[in-house]
């Protein structure tokens, strides 16, 4: 079978294939070309999919300069799953892809020729051939997960597996070298998690993400392990697989998880990665699956805030530090990790920040952990360590101290502003504990006694000094703030004369924008360009309502004048002097001083005859208080741009008034600078008092 036989691509996958932006693909699809861009597959009307072979042929003919991003069929396996869209869930489609990779791996290991039978089978026969081979090799339990995957597919198709278009998937697997099957399978999981978010990625997203930052963090911390690594909430085994890769052949892996499909994924992935690992499915908190297991290192990213039924096992010996709250299991996971450590073992557990500060029984458990000498460090992690949530996370480093004592130090690190904690956490722990942490984030070594006196609060932000809290730094900041305030005030006083503009020589003629249009003095264009329809350069020139509000950015590269228009042959680009307006909630207007921009949704372009109207005068009048009476709507108010009134005066007087307004606006900016500098100075004075820095004559 050919690499691309029957493979369908989404527009995003076409962009990856061609090494271009999504906007460029949208332009290819919408703009005329010879030959035209391929039509989408008939069965993908709502979410278009495109035949890979036809796309490659079109690129070769119309875009010969583009180098197709070939990858030895690894991405083709992910692409082939598009053919199953709407027929089975993404979870089952991903599971089927992994099962086929495992079938090829097992067949090639045994050199039994079974994969050739699978690859040669027709679409309607593929599943039957897989089942027959699985039955014939019943002595190898690794085929059980393949059979389970087929059972899942059968349930979703009501027994009609023969109707699935599996040719592209089998073809893709057939084209992958055996030593690259693991990479291809991981790509399936990575793309699935990236497209649908962790909670939906192929149905096991909540049990791990391929290439997640948290898994990278845990595997780096466990990278020096020589014995047993245990993950009690292993999910798809991402942390264990990464740990094994970094430790080499010196570790044994054990994983538990409550989700049967996640365990099945973990076993299939470890088969493809050629790992010696043991996995078991079960509710770990309800019943310890292996009470005698002792690990050199425990890594865990357990569920956050999970409700658990403590009433069923309150006598469990693991809860030696206290019964965790029923509505929050994270302190139970910490105790489970400790219960399974060897005497000199270490546990690295990632939780939400809630267990660091929760009151009641949570505080009692933290206190017992501190008294027993188990908490070596807590690191506050930055946001977005997980792609699907901004929940702040914390890393607990659990290791029994040589001698439990109230004088023991606990390391608290505030890495909430760090860019790459997964790469540096291990060195931070070593350097901060030994006093050589030159490049570490803010940290403090706090005595256990002090922590216990404050309800065992462990949030590093409560204890770590903020940057710049050193008295010398505070004193310098105070001096700088006073200097800035003096300069800002001097600048304001230099312009203390309020300009008094001369009024118009005649009564203004009040005209609406609609009347200006009827008199051919102005024209209006409603912005309709969408960012997804643009390539990278044009996207930088797109004007959105936010940019009208905040000010137009300077364009580094003006578009080429000869570039074809985007919509209906109209002139879509702005010119110098165009007034760009938004009318939702508050009327805002800005004059384009560069031109060459594209108008996005929610933005109007008002182009005026500059021999009769000064654009800056028009922009200011549109925002006049008299136009507020035209607002309509209960929740989101808006106005009709055509109804807004412009008090028209002679052109020379428009320019004179604009000049006076600019002087007043400059005065307002200088006054704002004084207010900002005064606020900074007041903050510095209070900081100086707090951190005992010299103030004024005390210096």
């Amino acid at each position: 079978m050919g690499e691309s036989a029957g493979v369908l691509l989404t527009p995003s996958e076409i962009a990856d294939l061609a090494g271009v932006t999504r906007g460029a693909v949208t332009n290819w699809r919408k703009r005329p070309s010879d030959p035209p861009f391929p039509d989408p597959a008939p069965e993908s009307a709502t979410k278009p999919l495109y035949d890979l072979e036809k796309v490659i042929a079109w690129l070769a003919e119309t875009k010969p300069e583009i180098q197709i991003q070939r990858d030895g069929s690894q991405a083709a396996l992910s692409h082939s799953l598009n053919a199953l869209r709407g027929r089975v869930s993404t979870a089952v489609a991903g599971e089927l892809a992994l099962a086929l990779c495992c079938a090829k791996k097992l067949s090639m290991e045994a050199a039994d020729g079974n994969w050739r039978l699978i690859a040669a089978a027709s679409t309607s026969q593929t599943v039957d051939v897989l089942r027959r081979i699985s039955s014939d090799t019943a002595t190898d339990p690794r085929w059980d997960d393949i059979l389970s995957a087929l059972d899942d597919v059968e349930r979703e198709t009501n027994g009609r597996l023969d109707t699935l278009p599996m040719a592209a998937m089998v073809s893709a697997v057939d084209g992958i070298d055996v030593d690259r099957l693991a990479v291809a399978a991981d790509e399936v999981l990575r793309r699935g998690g990236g497209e649908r978010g962790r909670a939906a990625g192929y149905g096991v997203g909540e049990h791990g993400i391929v290439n997640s930052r948290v898994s990278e963090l845990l595997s780096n911390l466990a990278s020096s392990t020589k014995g047993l690594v245990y993950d009690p909430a292993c999910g798809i085994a991402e942390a264990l697989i990464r740990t094994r890769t970094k430790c080499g052949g010196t570790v044994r892996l054990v994983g538990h998880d409550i989700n049967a499909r996640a365990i099945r994924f973990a076993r299939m992935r470890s088969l493809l990665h050629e790992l010696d690992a043991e996995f078991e499915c079960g509710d770990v908190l309800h019943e310890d699956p292996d009470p005698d297991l002792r690990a050199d290192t425990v890594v865990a990213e357990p569920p956050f805030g999970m409700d658990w039924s403590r009433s069923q096992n309150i006598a469990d010996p693991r809860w030696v530090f206290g019964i965790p709250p029923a509505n929050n299991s994270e302190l139970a996971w910490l105790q489970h990790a400790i219960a399974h450590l060897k005497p000199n073992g270490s546990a690295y557990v990632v939780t939400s920040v809630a267990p660091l500060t929760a009151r009641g029984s949570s505080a009692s458990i933290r206190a017992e952990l501190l008294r027993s000498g188990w908490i070596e460090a807590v690191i506050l992690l930055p946001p977005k360590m997980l792609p699907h949530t901004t929940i702040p996370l914390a890393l607990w480093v659990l290791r029994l101290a040589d001698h439990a004592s109230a004088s023991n130090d606990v390391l608290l690190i505030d890495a909430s502003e760090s860019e790459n904690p997964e790469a540096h956490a291990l060195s931070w722990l070593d350097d901060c504990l030994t006093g050589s942490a030159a490049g570490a984030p803010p940290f403090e070594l706090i005595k256990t006694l002090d922590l216990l006196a404050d309800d065992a609060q462990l949030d590093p932000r409560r204890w770590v000094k903020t940057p710049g809290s050193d008295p010398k730094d505070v004193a310098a900041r105070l001096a700088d703030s006073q200097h800035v305030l003096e300069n800002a005030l001097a600048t304001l006083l230099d312009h203390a004369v309020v300009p008094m503009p001369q009024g118009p020589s005649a009564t203004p003629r009040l005209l609406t924008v609609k009347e200006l249009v009827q008199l051919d003095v102005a024209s209006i264009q409603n912005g309709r360009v969408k960012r997804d329809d643009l390539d990278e350069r044009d996207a930088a020139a797109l004007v959105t309502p936010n940019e009208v509000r905040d000010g137009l950015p300077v364009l580094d590269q003006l578009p080429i004048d000869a570039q074809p228009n985007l919509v209906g042959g109209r002139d879509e680009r702005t010119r110098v002097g165009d007034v760009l307006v938004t009318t939702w909630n508050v009327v805002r207007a800005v004059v384009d001083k560069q031109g060459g921009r594209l108008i996005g949704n929610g933005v109007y372009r008002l182009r005026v005859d500059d021999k009769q109207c000064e654009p800056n005068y028009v922009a200011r009048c549109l925002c006049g208080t008299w136009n507020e009476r035209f607002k309509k709507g209960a929740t989101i108010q808006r106005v009709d741009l055509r109804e807004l009134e412009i008090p028209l005066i002679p052109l020379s007087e428009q320019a004179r008034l604009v000049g006076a307004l600019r002087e007043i606006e400059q005065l307002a900016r200088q006054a704002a600078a004084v207010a900002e500098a005064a606020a900074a100075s007041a903050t510095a004075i209070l900081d100086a008092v707090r951190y005992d820095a010299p103030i004024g004559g005390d210096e």
Side-chain angles (χ1 to χ4, degrees):
M1 297 182 183
E3 173 186 327
S4 59
V7 174
L8 300 175
L9 305 182
T10 65
S12 294
E13 290 167 344
I14 295 173
D16 291 340
L17 179 75
V20 298
T21 65
R22 171 72 183 273
V25 176
T26 301
N27 290 339
W28 295 345
R29 293 163 51 200
K30 293 186 175 182
R31 292 177 177 175
S33 63
D34 186 21
F37 193 80
D39 291 329
E43 66 272 18
S44 63
T46 56
K47 294 183 178 180
L49 298 169
Y50 298 86
D51 184 274
L52 173 59
E53 288 185 340
K54 293 179 180 179
V55 170
I56 290 177
W58 183 85
L59 288 171
E61 187 165 352
T62 63
K63 309 287 180 183
E65 71 280 6
I66 286 180
Q67 298 293 318
I68 302 298
Q69 306 296 312
R70 305 275 184 183
D71 63 356
S73 293
Q74 291 157 34
L77 178 58
S78 294
H79 299 160
S80 69
L81 269 62
N82 291 326
L84 304 182
R85 181 184 290 179
R87 300 172 185 265
V88 295
S89 66
T90 52
V92 168
E95 190 174 9
L96 184 56
L98 264 67
L100 288 172
C101 288
C102 288
K104 179 174 181 178
K105 177 80 170 178
L106 291 172
S107 179
M108 294 304 181
E109 280 184 2
D112 54 18
N114 283 329
W115 177 253
R116 300 301 346 138
L117 297 176
I118 298 170
S122 65
T123 296
S124 61
Q125 296 174 334
T126 301
V127 173
D128 289 337
V129 172
L130 275 168
R131 286 195 183 281
R132 187 172 65 251
I133 293 172
S134 300
S135 299
D136 293 343
T137 56
T139 55
D140 189 341
R142 295 179 295 177
W143 280 91
D144 293 344
D145 291 318
I146 298 173
L147 284 173
S148 296
L150 298 179
D151 291 340
D152 283 349
V153 180
E154 186 171 33
R155 278 191 292 270
E156 286 209 0
T157 58
N158 295 318
R160 296 301 310 277
L161 292 108
D162 57 332
T163 64
L164 292 182
M166 293 178 57
M169 190 181 300
V170 174
S171 175
V173 174
D174 192 43
I176 302 171
D177 293 338
V178 175
D179 60 354
R180 302 295 292 173
L181 286 169
V183 176
D186 285 353
E187 180 69 4
V188 168
L189 295 176
R190 185 192 67 79
R191 290 184 182 232
E195 291 173 5
R196 299 177 61 83
R198 186 182 184 215
Y202 287 121
V204 294
E206 69 272 27
H207 298 282
I209 307 172
V210 172
N211 292 341
S212 83
R213 297 178 65 188
V214 171
S215 295
E216 180 69 6
L217 169 68
L218 294 173
S219 62
N220 283 336
L221 291 166
S223 60
S224 60
T225 305
K226 301 299 182 184
L228 170 62
V229 179
Y230 171 47
D231 187 342
C234 68
I236 62 174
E238 180 66 9
L240 290 177
I241 289 173
R242 284 177 169 265
T243 299
R244 171 63 170 74
T245 301
K246 293 167 183 174
C247 292
T250 60
V251 292
R252 171 188 166 209
L253 307 178
V254 175
H256 296 147
D257 201 275
I258 194 172
N259 185 278
R261 176 173 285 158
I263 288 293
R264 193 153 59 241
F265 272 60
R267 281 196 294 259
M268 288 193 286
R269 294 187 70 207
S270 41
L271 165 62
L272 295 172
H273 282 274
E274 300 181 348
L275 305 184
D276 179 17
E278 305 164 31
F279 297 102
E280 185 175 343
C281 181
D283 186 344
V284 169
L285 296 187
H286 173 57
E287 184 176 356
D288 195 339
D290 191 352
D292 295 328
L293 183 145
R294 295 295 181 268
D296 296 275
T297 302
V298 175
V299 294
E301 180 197 346
F304 302 146
M306 184 182 75
D307 188 25
W308 68 295
S309 182
R310 63 178 180 180
S311 62
Q312 296 177 358
N313 61 354
I314 59 174
D316 195 302
R318 290 174 293 174
W319 316 146
V320 65
F321 304 105
I323 305 296
N327 62 349
N328 193 325
S329 63
E330 290 168 279
L331 289 169
W333 288 104
L334 294 173
Q335 296 187 73
H336 176 81
I338 289 173
H340 288 282
L341 281 177
K342 291 180 180 178
N344 295 318
S346 303
Y348 306 99
V349 183
V350 174
T351 71
S352 68
V353 297
L356 300 177
T357 58
R359 305 288 181 175
S361 60
S362 296
S364 299
I365 294 171
R366 290 196 305 270
E368 288 303 315
L369 289 169
L370 287 167
R371 291 190 187 97
S372 301
W374 269 107
I375 302 178
E376 180 175 284
V378 173
I379 301 179
L380 186 66
L381 299 172
K384 298 304 289 183
M385 287 293 288
L386 296 172
H388 65 294
T389 180
T390 57
I391 293 175
L393 304 181
L395 170 71
W396 299 67
V397 180
L398 306 172
R399 187 181 292 118
L400 185 60
D402 292 336
H403 302 286
S405 168
S407 62
N408 285 351
D409 288 327
V410 176
L411 174 62
L412 302 178
I413 301 177
D414 181 4
S416 57
E417 301 297 326
S418 299
E419 293 185 0
N420 193 12
E422 55 268 40
H424 303 297
L426 183 59
S427 62
W428 293 340
L429 293 173
D430 292 338
D431 295 345
C432 293
L433 289 171
T434 58
S436 58
F443 73 95
E444 287 290 338
L445 287 165
I446 307 296
K447 297 295 183 186
T448 295
L449 185 63
D450 294 332
L451 293 169
L452 291 172
D454 193 18
D455 205 22
Q457 297 289 296
L458 292 178
D459 190 331
R461 292 168 295 190
R462 190 180 183 93
W463 300 94
V464 173
K465 291 181 181 179
T466 57
S469 60
D470 182 271
K472 293 182 180 179
D473 296 335
V474 175
R477 191 165 67 248
L478 175 57
D480 290 343
S481 68
Q482 295 282 23
H483 181 66
V484 171
L485 177 58
E486 290 170 359
N487 288 342
L489 187 58
T491 302
L492 176 63
L493 293 175
D494 286 344
H495 297 80
V497 178
V498 178
M500 293 298 296
Q502 182 178 350
S505 59
T507 302
R509 181 184 178 189
L510 200 61
L511 294 175
T512 65
V513 172
K514 179 180 179 180
E515 290 171 329
L516 291 176
V517 172
Q518 291 172 340
L519 294 169
D520 290 331
V521 177
S523 64
I524 299 174
Q525 180 179 316
N526 187 4
R528 299 186 183 278
V529 180
K530 299 178 181 178
R531 189 174 299 275
D532 286 346
D533 295 338
L534 303 175
D535 57 27
E536 187 173 354
R537 185 183 67 175
D538 282 343
L542 182 68
V543 179
T544 65
N546 287 344
E547 290 168 325
V548 174
R549 179 194 66 195
D550 300 333
L552 301 179
V554 176
L555 297 180
D556 294 331
Q557 180 181 8
L558 289 175
I560 301 172
D561 293 337
Q563 182 171 350
N565 298 322
L566 290 176
V567 181
R570 296 186 302 166
D571 182 6
E572 291 291 328
R573 297 196 180 274
T574 62
R575 301 176 189 170
V576 174
D578 281 349
V579 182
L580 305 179
V581 189
T582 62
T583 60
W584 282 23
N585 291 323
V586 177
V587 177
R588 293 186 173 92
V590 64
V591 176
D592 188 354
K593 297 179 181 179
Q594 263 190 298
R597 304 178 194 270
L598 294 165
I599 314 165
N601 285 336
V603 179
Y604 295 92
R605 185 208 67 194
L606 180 64
R607 182 171 292 166
V608 297
D609 181 355
D610 59 7
K611 294 182 175 58
Q612 302 187 61
C613 295
E614 210 283 343
N616 292 283
Y617 176 77
V618 171
R620 285 169 168 79
C621 288
L622 291 174
C623 303
T625 57
W626 62 87
N627 281 323
E628 292 181 3
R629 71 185 194 277
F630 296 115
K631 289 182 179 179
K632 301 174 184 177
T635 53
I636 300 179
Q637 293 190 318
R638 65 190 72 190
V639 302
D640 184 344
L641 176 60
R642 297 172 183 271
E643 294 181 351
L644 301 183
E645 297 171 342
I646 309 293
L648 206 59
I649 57 179
L651 186 64
S652 60
E653 296 182 1
Q654 294 178 37
R656 188 173 66 248
L657 281 174
V658 168
L661 290 171
R662 283 174 174 162
E663 289 186 21
I664 293 174
E665 290 165 354
Q666 176 65 19
L667 193 64
R669 286 192 290 270
Q670 292 164 349
V674 171
E676 182 179 354
S681 180
T683 299
I685 290 172
L686 292 174
D687 286 350
V689 174
R690 164 62 178 83
Y691 298 111
D692 195 25
I695 303 176
D698 295 337
E699 189 176 0

